[in-house]
Amino acid sequence: MTDLLVKLYDLPEIPAVDGCEIRRALTPERGVAMSWVQTHFTPGWAQEVASSFSTQPVRCFLAIEKDQLLGFSCFNTTFQGFFGPIGVRKEARGRGIGTALTIRALHAMHEEGFAYGIIGATKAEEYYQQILGAIPIPDSWPGAYRGMLDTRA
């Protein structure tokens, strides 16, 4: 795993996803989002989602289709300037939802005044290099996450 650096001032347009709305989460959706992330991903990610609801505007985006939550992305949760976590329900993968959620959240980071963003501890280096031109940050693992307890269980 490594951290990646992204130029937020040179992002692609947010792609549309047929039948799916990508929008900023609303404060009353905090419990639903946390529960969904804990069910489909990890308790640690659910806590990061909780953190994203502690600001105004909320720093979490949702992918919704027919009143069903299909995915989420967050930023500035564990560390300022960091993108993530992000997740898409298994059955909905391959439709571009993750790309749309990623780019939407990174645009929001830029709107908040960040010139660069960090994608922390990713295993998807090639993906982010392809869609964003992200570059690896040398010797960045475990970096900011050094000494963190295991939050997967």
Side-chain angles (χ1 to χ4, degrees):
M1 288 194 288
T2 191
D3 292 347
L4 302 176
L5 187 66
V6 178
K7 295 185 284 186
L8 300 180
Y9 52 83
D10 192 24
L11 292 169
E13 294 295 318
I14 303 162
V17 180
D18 284 341
C20 187
E21 178 185 15
I22 306 295
R23 66 161 173 80
R24 193 179 294 265
L26 300 172
T27 302
E29 296 171 318
R30 179 180 182 266
V32 172
M34 284 180 57
S35 177
W36 187 88
V37 171
Q38 184 152 347
T39 297
H40 295 281
F41 297 97
T42 69
W45 280 12
Q47 293 305 315
E48 287 187 273
V49 167
S51 173
S52 75
F53 279 82
S54 67
T55 64
Q56 193 55 261
V58 172
R59 291 174 169 167
C60 180
F61 290 89
L62 304 176
I64 301 166
E65 183 177 63
K66 297 179 184 170
D67 295 324
Q68 296 295 310
L69 184 54
L70 299 181
F72 76 101
S73 64
C74 301
F75 67 98
N76 291 350
T77 59
T78 299
F79 302 107
Q80 290 293 307
F82 273 63
F83 165 75
I86 178 172
V88 175
R89 189 179 187 135
K90 285 183 184 179
E91 301 82 26
R93 293 179 187 165
R95 296 177 48 196
I97 295 169
T99 299
L101 283 164
T102 297
I103 294 170
R104 179 62 188 98
L106 292 173
H107 273 279
M109 286 179 71
H110 187 249
E111 291 160 7
E112 287 193 18
F114 290 88
Y116 297 92
I118 297 170
I119 299 172
T122 185
K123 295 178 186 174
E125 285 183 53
E126 278 187 38
Y127 168 74
Y128 290 117
Q129 288 171 344
Q130 180 182 347
I131 68 165
L132 301 167
I135 58 172
I137 300 173
D139 302 317
S140 58
W141 179 254
Y145 300 97
R146 181 166 300 163
M148 186 173 90
L149 298 173
D150 187 348
T151 61
R152 291 172 289 180

